[in-house]
Amino acid sequence: NHHSSRTRILQKHILTKPPWHLIILRVFQGIFSAFILALAIALVARTFQGDDRTKALSLAALTSTIGIPLGPFLGGTIIAFLDFRWVFVVNIPFAIAALFGVLFLTPKDRDCRPLRTGMFPYVFGFGLLALTWGTVKAGRELNFLSGSAILAGTGIIVLGILVALRGKTTVLPQNVLKLSSFRHGATAIFVTAMIMIAVIFITPQYFAFIWAWRPLQIALGLTPAIISLVVGTRLAVPLNNLLKTRIIFTLGFVLIFTGCLLFSLMGDAPNWAVLTTWSFPLGLGLGILLPLAMDLSLKEVDSRNFGSASAAIQATRQVGGTLGVAIFGSLVNAASFFTSGSRPFSLGFIGLAIIAAMAALWSLRI
């Protein structure tokens, strides 16, 4: 009763009074972040070659990947001791330092070519918006409107991908799209991002509503996954020198599959042993896959196309994360109408395990 009453209170304040100013600002944040992410990876890929590039991309992937689970960790810690507004204020010094680095430390690139994208990005974005909204809506109430949005969004996205592969858009040069390494790397990034963001979205809710943990406890609960994620990124380069790509990718997805299945052992009472057991293989698999998938996607791309290729990779990563939250968050929410306790969350992780198993089988064909 305690957990259900908390859920109803949150739904009353969040669903009846949506923070439109926050949503609008998040839109602008996403637009400007897209510029930074695409150019940062392109700069790294263009500066280094061979094994040095793998190491550099591994470090870049480490910083960006760790930032995702580290956000809830730091946010929970800040809220436990300070006012919630400090979650936003703490970003200001980092933004100032980054601005200084861009103005005075980033090398200039004079090899700039105009790129006419046409309507493709806007139509594709509209399809993604329709699919995401329909999926989230279906998690609460599956009706004609939500079903139509899902079908329309899926159709637009599939059509956009087919148009891009047939060379009907200039968003990406055809010589990039024809590279099997780029397609394989982008696919791995999409699946990995979908699983990782879904885990980061679902797990804190499990800690809060099932185990009734406070923000600081939630932050500490994410620590095993963060540590194993760091370890995985450091193992990526040595494994890449010893094993073939398909073997490493299969190993990474098998570890993720194992971690997601072990989550089902989590009960309604806090258990650190079980928490560490499933967090370690999951974080290790994600840490191994992300830098190597990024390196594979840019491995054969011409240096003149690093900007557009890295932008496509980052867009793939964001789309995967968005769909992961929408699909599996809605799955957990829909399951909560039919069952209670930790079972809805276990069903969500079983769904993630199925995705990881399918990705492992696909990796054998790379």
Side-chain angles (χ1 to χ4, degrees):
N1 293 333
H2 170 69
H3 300 318
S4 61
S5 63
R6 287 184 61 184
T7 303
R8 286 193 295 269
I9 292 173
L10 285 173
Q11 290 176 342
K12 177 181 178 181
H13 285 82
I14 295 176
L15 300 180
T16 60
K17 297 180 180 180
W20 290 110
H21 63 285
L22 181 60
I23 295 174
I24 293 172
L25 291 175
R26 286 285 288 171
V27 169
F28 285 102
Q29 183 184 22
I31 293 173
F32 297 128
S33 297
F35 299 157
I36 299 173
L37 288 172
L39 293 178
I41 298 300
L43 182 62
V44 171
R46 189 165 184 170
T47 304
F48 299 94
Q49 299 294 330
D51 291 340
D52 291 336
R53 185 169 67 180
T54 303
K55 295 177 182 178
L57 287 174
S58 176
L59 181 60
L62 172 64
T63 56
S64 60
T65 301
I66 290 299
I68 296 173
L70 199 60
F73 175 84
L74 293 177
T77 305
I78 291 172
I79 292 175
F81 297 101
L82 300 172
D83 186 80
F84 79 93
R85 294 175 179 83
W86 280 96
V87 173
F88 303 97
V89 176
V90 75
N91 292 288
I92 296 176
F94 294 100
I96 295 174
L99 180 61
F100 175 83
V102 170
L103 293 176
F104 299 102
L105 301 178
T106 305
K108 295 182 179 180
D109 188 357
R110 301 184 183 279
D111 185 16
C112 300
R113 295 172 298 155
L115 179 65
R116 292 184 291 272
T117 61
M119 293 297 296
F120 175 81
Y122 309 103
V123 175
F124 191 88
F126 178 78
L128 177 62
L129 177 63
L131 176 60
T132 304
W133 181 86
T135 305
V136 174
K137 186 73 173 177
R140 298 197 303 267
E141 182 183 4
L142 180 60
N143 52 28
F144 176 78
L145 186 60
S146 60
S148 299
I150 292 174
L151 291 176
T154 303
I156 293 173
I157 291 174
V158 172
L159 180 62
I161 293 174
L162 293 176
V163 168
L165 293 176
R166 291 176 62 87
K168 301 300 183 180
T169 177
T170 57
V171 174
L172 267 178
Q174 280 301 294
N175 57 352
V176 174
L177 289 173
K178 291 179 179 179
L179 295 174
S180 60
S181 59
F182 177 82
R183 297 197 303 270
H184 292 156
T187 302
I189 288 173
F190 175 84
V191 177
T192 306
M194 173 184 285
I195 295 173
M196 180 174 66
I197 303 301
V199 169
I200 296 301
F201 178 76
I202 295 173
T203 305
Q205 297 186 57
Y206 182 94
F207 293 154
F209 295 113
I210 304 302
W211 287 0
W213 275 8
R214 297 183 179 275
L216 183 58
Q217 292 174 304
I218 294 175
L220 293 176
L222 295 173
T223 304
I226 296 174
I227 294 174
S228 57
L229 195 64
V230 174
V231 174
T233 57
R234 305 317 298 165
L235 291 175
V237 175
L239 287 175
N240 192 44
N241 294 330
L242 294 174
L243 303 173
K244 294 182 178 180
T245 301
R246 66 173 179 270
I247 297 177
I248 302 174
F249 276 30
T250 304
L251 173 63
F253 283 118
V254 167
L255 287 171
I256 294 173
F257 169 80
T258 304
C260 291
L261 278 188
L262 289 175
F263 181 91
S264 61
L265 299 176
M266 300 262 281
D268 294 341
N271 189 327
W272 273 94
V274 177
L275 172 60
T276 305
T277 300
W278 71 262
S279 295
F280 183 74
L282 179 64
L284 196 65
L286 291 171
I288 291 173
L289 281 172
L290 279 171
L292 293 184
M294 192 176 298
D295 178 62
L296 178 65
S297 62
L298 299 174
K299 192 173 185 178
E300 299 178 4
V301 175
D302 186 85
S303 60
R304 295 175 298 175
N305 295 321
F306 275 151
S308 56
S310 61
I313 291 301
Q314 294 300 329
T316 301
R317 181 176 175 177
Q318 297 300 321
V319 170
T322 301
L323 292 180
V325 170
I327 294 173
F328 294 100
S330 299
L331 175 62
V332 171
N333 187 61
S336 65
F337 289 103
F338 306 99
T339 184
S340 60
S342 61
R343 286 187 289 273
F345 296 91
S346 297
L347 289 174
F349 269 80
I350 289 174
L352 292 172
I354 293 173
I355 297 296
M358 295 172 61
L361 294 175
W362 163 81
S363 300
L364 295 173
R365 304 181 60 182
I366 295 179

